Amino acid sequence: MKKNILAFLRITLGSLRDLAPVVILVLFFQLAVLQQPLPNAGELALGLLLVVLGLTFFIFGLEMGLFPIGESMAYSLAKKGSLLWLILFAFALGFGTTIAEPALIAVSGEAAAVAAAAGFIESSQQAQADYSQGLRLTVAVSVGIGIVIGVVRILKGWPIHLMIAGGYVLVVIMTAIAPQEIIGIAYDSGGVTTSTITVPLVTALGVGLASSIKGRNPLIDGFGLIAFASLTPMIFVMVYGTLI
Amino acid sequence: MLDTLTQSDLFLTILGTSRDVIPIILILLGFQFLVIRRRVTNLKRIIIGFIYVLIGLSLFLLGLEKALFPLGKVMAEQLTDPVFIIGSQATDATRLHWSDYGWVYLFAFAVGFSTTIAEPSLIAVAIKASEVSAGAISVWGLRIAVALGVAIGITLGVYRIVVGAPIHYFIISGYIVVVIQTFFAPKTITALAYDSGGVTTSTVTVPLVAALGLGLAETIPGRSPLIDGFGLIAFASLFPIMTVMGYAQLVQWVTTRRRRQSDNNGQDTQADTPSMEQR
């Protein structure tokens, strides 16, 4: 118990240090550059306290819950030896965590507005809702496929840099084909898809897989799942924008 | 101060976070009980861990939404306001040169750096990378390398919005640099570097950066917020790949140099393999 409290205090101190740059930035720009008083200093302080507490709890729970479950499931599925289940699991994890992602919902809504303004779709509510729904599905499916590709790469030990470079070539080709207005959104959709809970889980999955297979180095082979999950949406969103 | 932060706010945030977590828990449970069909070791501990993550993320988001985001958005709007940039005498923004946006670039750099340092998912990846590499990749080294990358990326992205250059030229040149750098960087870092592009932009960075991009695109004549407001996140996901590989190259160079020096002092003439490759 005492050990836990000590660990908690240590992480709290770490969180304070993590947030120091943000606080300095806000104070400097508000007071020195914009030369305005801090609005609601009390609320600001309370918000910061919540952020510090939140970050502390998150990191504490990360090592207790998220990392162990991700790794243990990777071990069990690898031991089971069924490629199909492993691929299904990887796809479900990618698809399931992306479809509900708030950042993606926001981005796809704005993307529908862009498409309507550019005249690709009718500007009616219905057409926009359909478009953004289709975009969300596209991104979620492509994240699922991205993680599956990454998992298969770990199993087969394929070199990552050739695959990523190949992905880049596809992005460049699609950029030449896709309508101008979709490009910015497509590029952004690669970055917004991986949420705060997905990242630790997927990282643990990759590292767990790589350490349970003989001849794989967890550092070289275990990472890279998120790289694929951020690359495939760019390609698929541009395909989506071209087809519709 | 407490009336603005009511219990219902806290409740709604926890509800929102739970909604994000539920699909993940369903997938994990489904596979655990239908496919793996084995007892989980330390199940109680894992459940407590999940609850901590849920509480932590909720408090974190609530604090950000209550305090930092409103202020950050107002600051982004004020900094991109032509009145602030030119001074009080004129409001004709058409005559502005790209170099008049000095504070905006500094703000973009600082936002990129400081929010990335506080990004929970990057902390998670850095912890794992340090664990797996037995400390050869330090948690702080990786985080600072990624934060620098995001900072450079967002600054360049802001410059692009200001001058109005097409985004794909920047991104494609970035790809070329990444591919060339991959040949020279230590092999052990490649996968991690590619990953660090995707992890940087989640909870903290996206809302602030989006506000900055939209504010700029609205202020500068001839830019459309819908088209030019996007793309900052793409920059923020590309440049960390370069800085993380750069960080690994630096570590390699320093260890090689140090070894060479100690080789010169002693008689031990082992091969110059850097420590990162050995592990």
Side-chain angles (χ1 to χ4, degrees):
Chain A
M1 193 62 203
K2 200 179 161 201
K3 215 178 91 190
N4 272 350
I5 293 172
L6 273 179
F8 200 82
L9 279 178
R10 195 171 45 80
I11 297 173
T12 311
L13 275 180
S15 309
L16 279 174
R17 203 181 39 195
D18 295 340
L19 284 169
V22 178
V23 176
I24 293 169
L25 160 78
V26 166
L27 290 181
F28 174 72
F29 270 89
Q30 191 73 10
L31 302 177
V33 181
L34 294 167
Q35 296 183 348
Q36 269 159 24
L38 275 182
N40 316 325
E43 199 171 306
L44 194 66
L46 183 69
L48 280 176
L49 183 75
L50 289 180
V51 172
V52 169
L53 264 181
L55 198 57
T56 309
F57 269 109
F58 177 81
I59 292 170
F60 207 62
L62 195 70
E63 310 246 25
M64 266 175 87
L66 277 181
F67 279 161
I69 190 79
E71 277 182 30
S72 101
M73 294 202 65
Y75 278 121
S76 313
L77 282 168
K79 212 181 255 171
K80 207 171 159 61
S82 160
L83 185 65
L84 185 69
W85 279 123
L86 196 58
I87 286 178
L88 265 179
F89 179 67
F91 185 83
L93 206 59
F95 182 87
T97 55
T98 309
I99 195 81
E101 172 69 24
L104 177 62
I105 297 172
V107 167
S108 60
E110 283 167 53
V114 174
F120 295 135
I121 54 172
E122 287 175 50
S123 52
S124 70
Q125 287 274 317
Q126 184 58 36
Q128 287 197 24
D130 287 349
Y131 187 86
S132 76
Q133 188 70 23
L135 194 63
R136 263 174 72 193
L137 266 177
T138 309
V139 174
V141 167
S142 52
V143 171
I145 293 176
I147 295 185
V148 168
I149 295 175
V151 163
V152 173
R153 175 195 86 89
I154 295 177
L155 297 178
K156 304 279 180 197
W158 291 332
I160 187 169
H161 55 275
L162 294 181
M163 301 178 74
I164 294 286
Y168 285 168
V169 171
L170 283 179
V171 170
V172 173
I173 292 173
M174 277 319 299
T175 306
I177 300 172
Q180 275 264 294
E181 287 78 3
I182 200 84
I183 291 174
I185 300 159
Y187 285 178
D188 268 6
S189 67
V192 296
T193 48
T194 39
S195 78
T196 315
I197 296 174
T198 320
V199 167
L201 210 57
V202 165
T203 306
L205 173 76
V207 169
L209 263 183
S211 25
S212 63
I213 299 171
K214 256 207 178 118
R216 296 281 178 280
N217 176 334
L219 186 57
I220 298 178
D221 301 302
F223 290 92
L225 291 183
I226 294 158
F228 288 109
S230 352
L231 192 58
T232 46
M234 297 173 67
I235 301 167
F236 281 68
V237 167
M238 284 194 274
V239 171
Y240 180 79
T242 312
L243 293 181
I244 288 186
Chain B
M1 135 180 153
L2 274 176
D3 9 296
T4 48
L5 187 74
T6 50
Q7 279 174 311
S8 72
D9 275 339
L10 184 65
F11 180 72
L12 280 179
T13 317
I14 292 181
L15 205 70
T17 319
S18 312
R19 209 189 49 202
D20 301 342
V21 181
I22 282 169
I24 302 175
I25 292 181
L26 284 182
I27 294 165
L28 292 179
L29 286 181
F31 273 86
Q32 188 66 47
F33 291 110
L34 299 176
V35 181
I36 298 175
R37 288 199 201 128
R38 260 195 306 143
R39 283 179 132 252
V40 193
T41 41
N42 277 330
L43 185 63
K44 209 174 128 197
R45 207 177 133 80
I46 287 173
I47 291 173
I48 295 175
F50 254 90
I51 293 171
Y52 280 159
V53 166
L54 201 66
I55 294 175
L57 211 53
S58 305
L59 291 178
F60 188 76
L61 291 176
L62 189 65
L64 286 180
E65 267 161 35
K66 279 289 149 195
L68 283 175
F69 286 166
L71 191 57
K73 282 176 188 163
V74 171
M75 283 166 71
E77 279 162 23
Q78 286 174 338
L79 282 169
T80 50
D81 189 352
V83 177
F84 170 77
I85 294 170
I86 326 173
S88 50
Q89 59 279 68
T91 43
D92 182 17
T94 39
R95 265 181 265 140
L96 275 180
H97 191 242
W98 65 269
S99 58
D100 292 328
Y101 290 84
W103 285 119
V104 181
Y105 298 132
L106 188 66
F107 184 70
F109 189 90
V111 162
F113 186 86
S114 57
T115 55
T116 308
I117 289 289
E119 191 68 74
S121 47
L122 175 62
I123 301 177
V125 169
I127 291 173
K128 201 89 231 161
S130 163
E131 226 172 84
V132 164
S133 67
I137 297 166
S138 83
V139 173
W140 273 97
L142 186 68
R143 284 171 69 189
I144 287 174
V146 174
L148 272 179
V150 173
I152 295 170
I154 292 180
T155 312
L156 205 64
V158 163
Y159 169 75
R160 179 197 80 85
I161 295 181
V162 170
V163 298
I167 181 169
H168 47 273
Y169 292 159
F170 287 85
I171 300 292
I172 292 171
S173 332
Y175 284 169
I176 295 171
V177 173
V178 166
V179 169
I180 294 172
Q181 212 180 352
T182 305
F183 286 103
F184 297 102
K187 229 180 99 207
T188 39
I189 201 78
T190 319
L192 184 61
Y194 289 156
D195 262 5
S196 57
V199 300
T200 50
T201 43
S202 41
T203 342
V204 199
T205 323
V206 173
L208 280 181
V209 167
L212 187 65
L214 288 175
L216 269 175
E218 271 165 18
T219 310
I220 299 166
R223 306 282 173 278
S224 140
L226 284 177
I227 297 170
D228 295 296
F230 287 102
L232 280 182
I233 295 167
F235 278 88
S237 343
L238 183 58
F239 282 79
I241 304 182
M242 299 177 205
T243 47
V244 169
M245 285 201 273
Y247 161 69
Q249 284 171 306
L250 193 73
V251 169
Q252 190 182 37
W253 184 76
V254 168
T255 37
T256 313
R257 225 177 103 98
R258 200 170 288 157
R259 185 148 324 159
R260 212 169 271 157
Q261 270 169 358
S262 63
D263 281 353
N264 290 345
N265 295 339
Q267 300 93 334
D268 185 18
T269 46
Q270 273 188 336
D272 269 340
T273 34
S275 66
M276 299 232 338
E277 297 274 46
Q278 283 181 335
R279 296 208 164 104

mmCIF file of all heavy atoms in Angstrom, chain B residues 62-99:
data_model
loop_
_atom_site.group_PDB
_atom_site.id
_atom_site.type_symbol
_atom_site.label_atom_id
_atom_site.label_comp_id
_atom_site.label_asym_id
_atom_site.label_seq_id
_atom_site.Cartn_x
_atom_site.Cartn_y
_atom_site.Cartn_z
ATOM 1 N N LEU B 62 -11.724 16.947 -18.992
ATOM 2 C CA LEU B 62 -12.543 17.962 -18.344
ATOM 3 C C LEU B 62 -11.687 19.199 -18.042
ATOM 4 O O LEU B 62 -12.084 20.333 -18.322
ATOM 5 C CB LEU B 62 -13.141 17.390 -17.060
ATOM 6 C CG LEU B 62 -14.199 18.249 -16.382
ATOM 7 C CD1 LEU B 62 -15.408 18.371 -17.283
ATOM 8 C CD2 LEU B 62 -14.601 17.651 -15.054
ATOM 9 N N GLY B 63 -10.504 18.963 -17.477
ATOM 10 C CA GLY B 63 -9.614 20.075 -17.155
ATOM 11 C C GLY B 63 -9.217 20.857 -18.391
ATOM 12 O O GLY B 63 -9.216 22.088 -18.397
ATOM 13 N N LEU B 64 -8.910 20.129 -19.466
ATOM 14 C CA LEU B 64 -8.530 20.798 -20.711
ATOM 15 C C LEU B 64 -9.676 21.641 -21.241
ATOM 16 O O LEU B 64 -9.500 22.790 -21.631
ATOM 17 C CB LEU B 64 -8.145 19.769 -21.772
ATOM 18 C CG LEU B 64 -6.819 19.059 -21.642
ATOM 19 C CD1 LEU B 64 -6.647 18.097 -22.797
ATOM 20 C CD2 LEU B 64 -5.684 20.053 -21.647
ATOM 21 N N GLU B 65 -10.890 21.052 -21.240
ATOM 22 C CA GLU B 65 -12.024 21.768 -21.815
ATOM 23 C C GLU B 65 -12.426 22.968 -20.976
ATOM 24 O O GLU B 65 -12.855 23.985 -21.492
ATOM 25 C CB GLU B 65 -13.220 20.818 -21.954
ATOM 26 C CG GLU B 65 -13.267 20.175 -23.326
ATOM 27 C CD GLU B 65 -14.110 18.933 -23.339
ATOM 28 O OE1 GLU B 65 -15.127 18.896 -22.616
ATOM 29 O OE2 GLU B 65 -13.755 17.978 -24.064
ATOM 30 N N LYS B 66 -12.266 22.824 -19.657
ATOM 31 C CA LYS B 66 -12.688 23.913 -18.774
ATOM 32 C C LYS B 66 -11.679 25.060 -18.804
ATOM 33 O O LYS B 66 -12.037 26.219 -18.740
ATOM 34 C CB LYS B 66 -12.816 23.396 -17.336
ATOM 35 C CG LYS B 66 -14.099 22.696 -17.075
ATOM 36 C CD LYS B 66 -15.255 23.672 -17.046
ATOM 37 C CE LYS B 66 -16.498 22.977 -17.544
ATOM 38 N NZ LYS B 66 -17.573 23.909 -17.890
ATOM 39 N N ALA B 67 -10.404 24.717 -18.855
ATOM 40 C CA ALA B 67 -9.413 25.760 -18.618
ATOM 41 C C ALA B 67 -8.557 26.079 -19.835
ATOM 42 O O ALA B 67 -8.489 27.222 -20.261
ATOM 43 C CB ALA B 67 -8.513 25.341 -17.453
ATOM 44 N N LEU B 68 -7.936 25.084 -20.398
ATOM 45 C CA LEU B 68 -6.890 25.388 -21.373
ATOM 46 C C LEU B 68 -7.419 25.658 -22.771
ATOM 47 O O LEU B 68 -6.977 26.595 -23.429
ATOM 48 C CB LEU B 68 -5.874 24.255 -21.407
ATOM 49 C CG LEU B 68 -4.913 24.284 -20.237
ATOM 50 C CD1 LEU B 68 -4.012 23.080 -20.260
ATOM 51 C CD2 LEU B 68 -4.064 25.551 -20.287
ATOM 52 N N PHE B 69 -8.371 24.854 -23.227
ATOM 53 C CA PHE B 69 -8.826 25.027 -24.610
ATOM 54 C C PHE B 69 -9.455 26.395 -24.871
ATOM 55 O O PHE B 69 -9.109 27.036 -25.859
ATOM 56 C CB PHE B 69 -9.792 23.903 -25.004
ATOM 57 C CG PHE B 69 -9.117 22.600 -25.247
ATOM 58 C CD1 PHE B 69 -9.832 21.426 -25.331
ATOM 59 C CD2 PHE B 69 -7.739 22.551 -25.387
ATOM 60 C CE1 PHE B 69 -9.193 20.211 -25.545
ATOM 61 C CE2 PHE B 69 -7.095 21.347 -25.599
ATOM 62 C CZ PHE B 69 -7.828 20.172 -25.679
ATOM 63 N N PRO B 70 -10.406 26.864 -24.000
ATOM 64 C CA PRO B 70 -10.987 28.177 -24.284
ATOM 65 C C PRO B 70 -9.916 29.258 -24.381
ATOM 66 O O PRO B 70 -9.910 30.069 -25.298
ATOM 67 C CB PRO B 70 -11.896 28.424 -23.068
ATOM 68 C CG PRO B 70 -12.119 27.114 -22.455
ATOM 69 C CD PRO B 70 -10.952 26.256 -22.789
ATOM 70 N N LEU B 71 -8.986 29.233 -23.432
ATOM 71 C CA LEU B 71 -7.934 30.244 -23.417
ATOM 72 C C LEU B 71 -7.050 30.117 -24.654
ATOM 73 O O LEU B 71 -6.723 31.109 -25.312
ATOM 74 C CB LEU B 71 -7.102 30.083 -22.143
ATOM 75 C CG LEU B 71 -6.135 31.209 -21.851
ATOM 76 C CD1 LEU B 71 -6.881 32.524 -21.759
ATOM 77 C CD2 LEU B 71 -5.386 30.942 -20.568
ATOM 78 N N GLY B 72 -6.678 28.876 -24.984
ATOM 79 C CA GLY B 72 -5.819 28.648 -26.150
ATOM 80 C C GLY B 72 -6.482 29.120 -27.431
ATOM 81 O O GLY B 72 -5.835 29.722 -28.290
ATOM 82 N N LYS B 73 -7.784 28.878 -27.536
ATOM 83 C CA LYS B 73 -8.486 29.295 -28.755
ATOM 84 C C LYS B 73 -8.567 30.807 -28.847
ATOM 85 O O LYS B 73 -8.349 31.389 -29.917
ATOM 86 C CB LYS B 73 -9.885 28.672 -28.783
ATOM 87 C CG LYS B 73 -9.830 27.219 -29.211
ATOM 88 C CD LYS B 73 -11.183 26.559 -29.153
ATOM 89 C CE LYS B 73 -11.027 25.070 -29.407
ATOM 90 N NZ LYS B 73 -12.199 24.317 -28.993
ATOM 91 N N VAL B 74 -8.869 31.447 -27.717
ATOM 92 C CA VAL B 74 -8.917 32.915 -27.719
ATOM 93 C C VAL B 74 -7.553 33.476 -28.099
ATOM 94 O O VAL B 74 -7.427 34.408 -28.903
ATOM 95 C CB VAL B 74 -9.353 33.431 -26.329
ATOM 96 C CG1 VAL B 74 -9.190 34.942 -26.253
ATOM 97 C CG2 VAL B 74 -10.794 33.054 -26.058
ATOM 98 N N MET B 75 -6.487 32.873 -27.546
ATOM 99 C CA MET B 75 -5.136 33.358 -27.856
ATOM 100 C C MET B 75 -4.830 33.187 -29.336
ATOM 101 O O MET B 75 -4.257 34.086 -29.969
ATOM 102 C CB MET B 75 -4.112 32.618 -27.003
ATOM 103 C CG MET B 75 -4.081 33.114 -25.578
ATOM 104 S SD MET B 75 -3.207 32.011 -24.489
ATOM 105 C CE MET B 75 -1.571 32.253 -25.030
ATOM 106 N N ALA B 76 -5.217 32.035 -29.902
ATOM 107 C CA ALA B 76 -4.957 31.811 -31.325
ATOM 108 C C ALA B 76 -5.695 32.850 -32.163
ATOM 109 O O ALA B 76 -5.147 33.398 -33.125
ATOM 110 C CB ALA B 76 -5.391 30.398 -31.719
ATOM 111 N N GLU B 77 -6.936 33.157 -31.769
ATOM 112 C CA GLU B 77 -7.700 34.160 -32.516
ATOM 113 C C GLU B 77 -7.049 35.531 -32.412
ATOM 114 O O GLU B 77 -6.929 36.261 -33.396
ATOM 115 C CB GLU B 77 -9.129 34.250 -31.972
ATOM 116 C CG GLU B 77 -10.038 33.161 -32.514
ATOM 117 C CD GLU B 77 -11.279 32.982 -31.658
ATOM 118 O OE1 GLU B 77 -11.663 33.930 -30.939
ATOM 119 O OE2 GLU B 77 -11.854 31.876 -31.692
ATOM 120 N N GLN B 78 -6.629 35.891 -31.188
ATOM 121 C CA GLN B 78 -6.037 37.216 -31.001
ATOM 122 C C GLN B 78 -4.727 37.360 -31.753
ATOM 123 O O GLN B 78 -4.438 38.392 -32.343
ATOM 124 C CB GLN B 78 -5.828 37.486 -29.508
ATOM 125 C CG GLN B 78 -7.129 37.773 -28.785
ATOM 126 C CD GLN B 78 -6.938 37.894 -27.296
ATOM 127 O OE1 GLN B 78 -5.964 37.386 -26.749
ATOM 128 N NE2 GLN B 78 -7.871 38.548 -26.629
ATOM 129 N N LEU B 79 -3.926 36.289 -31.732
ATOM 130 C CA LEU B 79 -2.613 36.365 -32.397
ATOM 131 C C LEU B 79 -2.765 36.461 -33.906
ATOM 132 O O LEU B 79 -1.920 37.044 -34.584
ATOM 133 C CB LEU B 79 -1.767 35.144 -32.033
ATOM 134 C CG LEU B 79 -1.123 35.169 -30.660
ATOM 135 C CD1 LEU B 79 -0.552 33.807 -30.335
ATOM 136 C CD2 LEU B 79 -0.022 36.202 -30.614
ATOM 137 N N THR B 80 -3.819 35.843 -34.453
ATOM 138 C CA THR B 80 -3.972 35.873 -35.903
ATOM 139 C C THR B 80 -4.792 37.077 -36.364
ATOM 140 O O THR B 80 -4.982 37.283 -37.546
ATOM 141 C CB THR B 80 -4.654 34.588 -36.403
ATOM 142 O OG1 THR B 80 -5.827 34.371 -35.627
ATOM 143 C CG2 THR B 80 -3.739 33.399 -36.266
ATOM 144 N N ASP B 81 -5.288 37.855 -35.413
ATOM 145 C CA ASP B 81 -6.059 39.049 -35.751
ATOM 146 C C ASP B 81 -5.155 40.085 -36.428
ATOM 147 O O ASP B 81 -4.111 40.433 -35.898
ATOM 148 C CB ASP B 81 -6.635 39.619 -34.442
ATOM 149 C CG ASP B 81 -7.625 40.722 -34.713
ATOM 150 O OD1 ASP B 81 -7.731 41.117 -35.887
ATOM 151 O OD2 ASP B 81 -8.275 41.171 -33.761
ATOM 152 N N PRO B 82 -5.536 40.583 -37.605
ATOM 153 C CA PRO B 82 -4.686 41.550 -38.312
ATOM 154 C C PRO B 82 -4.371 42.778 -37.460
ATOM 155 O O PRO B 82 -3.278 43.342 -37.569
ATOM 156 C CB PRO B 82 -5.525 41.956 -39.523
ATOM 157 C CG PRO B 82 -6.644 41.018 -39.609
ATOM 158 C CD PRO B 82 -6.732 40.239 -38.358
ATOM 159 N N VAL B 83 -5.298 43.184 -36.622
ATOM 160 C CA VAL B 83 -5.062 44.365 -35.789
ATOM 161 C C VAL B 83 -3.851 44.142 -34.891
ATOM 162 O O VAL B 83 -3.009 45.026 -34.711
ATOM 163 C CB VAL B 83 -6.310 44.677 -34.934
ATOM 164 C CG1 VAL B 83 -6.044 45.859 -34.020
ATOM 165 C CG2 VAL B 83 -7.500 44.948 -35.835
ATOM 166 N N PHE B 84 -3.731 42.933 -34.356
ATOM 167 C CA PHE B 84 -2.577 42.640 -33.499
ATOM 168 C C PHE B 84 -1.304 42.556 -34.339
ATOM 169 O O PHE B 84 -0.249 43.040 -33.946
ATOM 170 C CB PHE B 84 -2.790 41.317 -32.760
ATOM 171 C CG PHE B 84 -1.556 40.829 -32.050
ATOM 172 C CD1 PHE B 84 -1.169 41.399 -30.845
ATOM 173 C CD2 PHE B 84 -0.763 39.826 -32.602
ATOM 174 C CE1 PHE B 84 -0.022 40.971 -30.211
ATOM 175 C CE2 PHE B 84 0.375 39.402 -31.969
ATOM 176 C CZ PHE B 84 0.745 39.969 -30.760
ATOM 177 N N ILE B 85 -1.414 41.982 -35.530
ATOM 178 C CA ILE B 85 -0.207 41.740 -36.315
ATOM 179 C C ILE B 85 0.363 43.041 -36.882
ATOM 180 O O ILE B 85 1.568 43.286 -36.836
ATOM 181 C CB ILE B 85 -0.505 40.721 -37.445
ATOM 182 C CG1 ILE B 85 -0.829 39.366 -36.814
ATOM 183 C CG2 ILE B 85 0.689 40.583 -38.375
ATOM 184 C CD1 ILE B 85 -1.355 38.357 -37.781
ATOM 185 N N ILE B 86 -0.486 43.906 -37.404
ATOM 186 C CA ILE B 86 0.042 45.136 -38.002
ATOM 187 C C ILE B 86 0.197 46.241 -36.969
ATOM 188 O O ILE B 86 0.867 47.233 -37.212
ATOM 189 C CB ILE B 86 -0.899 45.675 -39.116
ATOM 190 C CG1 ILE B 86 -1.549 44.518 -39.847
ATOM 191 C CG2 ILE B 86 -0.129 46.534 -40.091
ATOM 192 C CD1 ILE B 86 -2.587 44.943 -40.817
ATOM 193 N N GLY B 87 -0.450 46.108 -35.854
ATOM 194 C CA GLY B 87 -0.508 47.240 -34.937
ATOM 195 C C GLY B 87 -1.868 47.861 -35.098
ATOM 196 O O GLY B 87 -2.675 47.394 -35.900
ATOM 197 N N SER B 88 -2.153 48.890 -34.332
ATOM 198 C CA SER B 88 -3.533 49.372 -34.293
ATOM 199 C C SER B 88 -3.916 50.262 -35.474
ATOM 200 O O SER B 88 -5.086 50.473 -35.723
ATOM 201 C CB SER B 88 -3.768 50.132 -32.985
ATOM 202 O OG SER B 88 -2.737 51.073 -32.823
ATOM 203 N N GLN B 89 -2.932 50.776 -36.237
ATOM 204 C CA GLN B 89 -3.309 51.810 -37.208
ATOM 205 C C GLN B 89 -4.035 51.279 -38.437
ATOM 206 O O GLN B 89 -4.908 51.938 -38.962
ATOM 207 C CB GLN B 89 -2.094 52.672 -37.609
ATOM 208 C CG GLN B 89 -0.903 51.960 -38.231
ATOM 209 C CD GLN B 89 -0.015 51.324 -37.183
ATOM 210 O OE1 GLN B 89 -0.421 50.374 -36.536
ATOM 211 N NE2 GLN B 89 1.193 51.838 -37.017
ATOM 212 N N ALA B 90 -3.705 50.094 -38.912
ATOM 213 C CA ALA B 90 -4.312 49.635 -40.161
ATOM 214 C C ALA B 90 -5.007 48.299 -39.968
ATOM 215 O O ALA B 90 -4.666 47.524 -39.087
ATOM 216 C CB ALA B 90 -3.248 49.499 -41.247
ATOM 217 N N THR B 91 -5.982 48.015 -40.790
ATOM 218 C CA THR B 91 -6.606 46.695 -40.754
ATOM 219 C C THR B 91 -6.575 46.055 -42.136
ATOM 220 O O THR B 91 -7.248 45.074 -42.384
ATOM 221 C CB THR B 91 -8.063 46.773 -40.271
ATOM 222 O OG1 THR B 91 -8.662 47.890 -40.901
ATOM 223 C CG2 THR B 91 -8.148 46.871 -38.783
ATOM 224 N N ASP B 92 -5.778 46.607 -43.026
ATOM 225 C CA ASP B 92 -5.719 46.050 -44.372
ATOM 226 C C ASP B 92 -4.724 44.894 -44.393
ATOM 227 O O ASP B 92 -3.523 45.097 -44.443
ATOM 228 C CB ASP B 92 -5.299 47.146 -45.356
ATOM 229 C CG ASP B 92 -5.261 46.613 -46.777
ATOM 230 O OD1 ASP B 92 -5.849 45.541 -47.015
ATOM 231 O OD2 ASP B 92 -4.636 47.252 -47.627
ATOM 232 N N ALA B 93 -5.246 43.696 -44.345
ATOM 233 C CA ALA B 93 -4.372 42.537 -44.194
ATOM 234 C C ALA B 93 -3.724 42.115 -45.502
ATOM 235 O O ALA B 93 -2.815 41.290 -45.519
ATOM 236 C CB ALA B 93 -5.165 41.365 -43.624
ATOM 237 N N THR B 94 -4.183 42.672 -46.625
ATOM 238 C CA THR B 94 -3.648 42.207 -47.909
ATOM 239 C C THR B 94 -2.173 42.561 -48.072
ATOM 240 O O THR B 94 -1.459 41.905 -48.811
ATOM 241 C CB THR B 94 -4.421 42.825 -49.088
ATOM 242 O OG1 THR B 94 -4.726 44.172 -48.771
ATOM 243 C CG2 THR B 94 -5.670 42.045 -49.388
ATOM 244 N N ARG B 95 -1.731 43.618 -47.391
ATOM 245 C CA ARG B 95 -0.347 44.053 -47.599
ATOM 246 C C ARG B 95 0.629 43.354 -46.662
ATOM 247 O O ARG B 95 1.804 43.688 -46.640
ATOM 248 C CB ARG B 95 -0.265 45.579 -47.433
ATOM 249 C CG ARG B 95 -0.378 46.270 -48.801
ATOM 250 C CD ARG B 95 -0.286 47.756 -48.669
ATOM 251 N NE ARG B 95 -1.605 48.360 -48.597
ATOM 252 C CZ ARG B 95 -1.900 49.366 -47.778
ATOM 253 N NH1 ARG B 95 -0.980 49.867 -46.975
ATOM 254 N NH2 ARG B 95 -3.108 49.885 -47.770
ATOM 255 N N LEU B 96 0.144 42.405 -45.906
ATOM 256 C CA LEU B 96 1.029 41.735 -44.946
ATOM 257 C C LEU B 96 1.996 40.786 -45.659
ATOM 258 O O LEU B 96 1.629 40.068 -46.574
ATOM 259 C CB LEU B 96 0.195 40.928 -43.952
ATOM 260 C CG LEU B 96 -0.326 41.713 -42.764
ATOM 261 C CD1 LEU B 96 -1.132 40.800 -41.881
ATOM 262 C CD2 LEU B 96 0.825 42.322 -41.997
ATOM 263 N N HIS B 97 3.218 40.826 -45.205
ATOM 264 C CA HIS B 97 4.231 39.920 -45.724
ATOM 265 C C HIS B 97 4.270 38.700 -44.803
ATOM 266 O O HIS B 97 3.871 38.800 -43.643
ATOM 267 C CB HIS B 97 5.569 40.658 -45.709
ATOM 268 C CG HIS B 97 6.630 39.949 -46.458
ATOM 269 N ND1 HIS B 97 7.776 39.493 -45.874
ATOM 270 C CD2 HIS B 97 6.721 39.601 -47.759
ATOM 271 C CE1 HIS B 97 8.525 38.898 -46.779
ATOM 272 N NE2 HIS B 97 7.919 38.958 -47.923
ATOM 273 N N TRP B 98 4.758 37.564 -45.333
ATOM 274 C CA TRP B 98 4.746 36.377 -44.471
ATOM 275 C C TRP B 98 5.611 36.562 -43.230
ATOM 276 O O TRP B 98 5.391 35.952 -42.197
ATOM 277 C CB TRP B 98 5.175 35.124 -45.228
ATOM 278 C CG TRP B 98 6.596 35.116 -45.709
ATOM 279 C CD1 TRP B 98 7.046 35.549 -46.913
ATOM 280 C CD2 TRP B 98 7.749 34.680 -44.990
ATOM 281 N NE1 TRP B 98 8.400 35.409 -46.993
ATOM 282 C CE2 TRP B 98 8.862 34.874 -45.833
ATOM 283 C CE3 TRP B 98 7.940 34.131 -43.713
ATOM 284 C CZ2 TRP B 98 10.162 34.566 -45.435
ATOM 285 C CZ3 TRP B 98 9.235 33.811 -43.326
ATOM 286 C CH2 TRP B 98 10.330 34.031 -44.184
ATOM 287 N N SER B 99 6.611 37.459 -43.314
ATOM 288 C CA SER B 99 7.509 37.626 -42.172
ATOM 289 C C SER B 99 6.885 38.493 -41.087
ATOM 290 O O SER B 99 7.475 38.687 -40.023
ATOM 291 C CB SER B 99 8.824 38.237 -42.640
ATOM 292 O OG SER B 99 8.569 39.470 -43.273
#
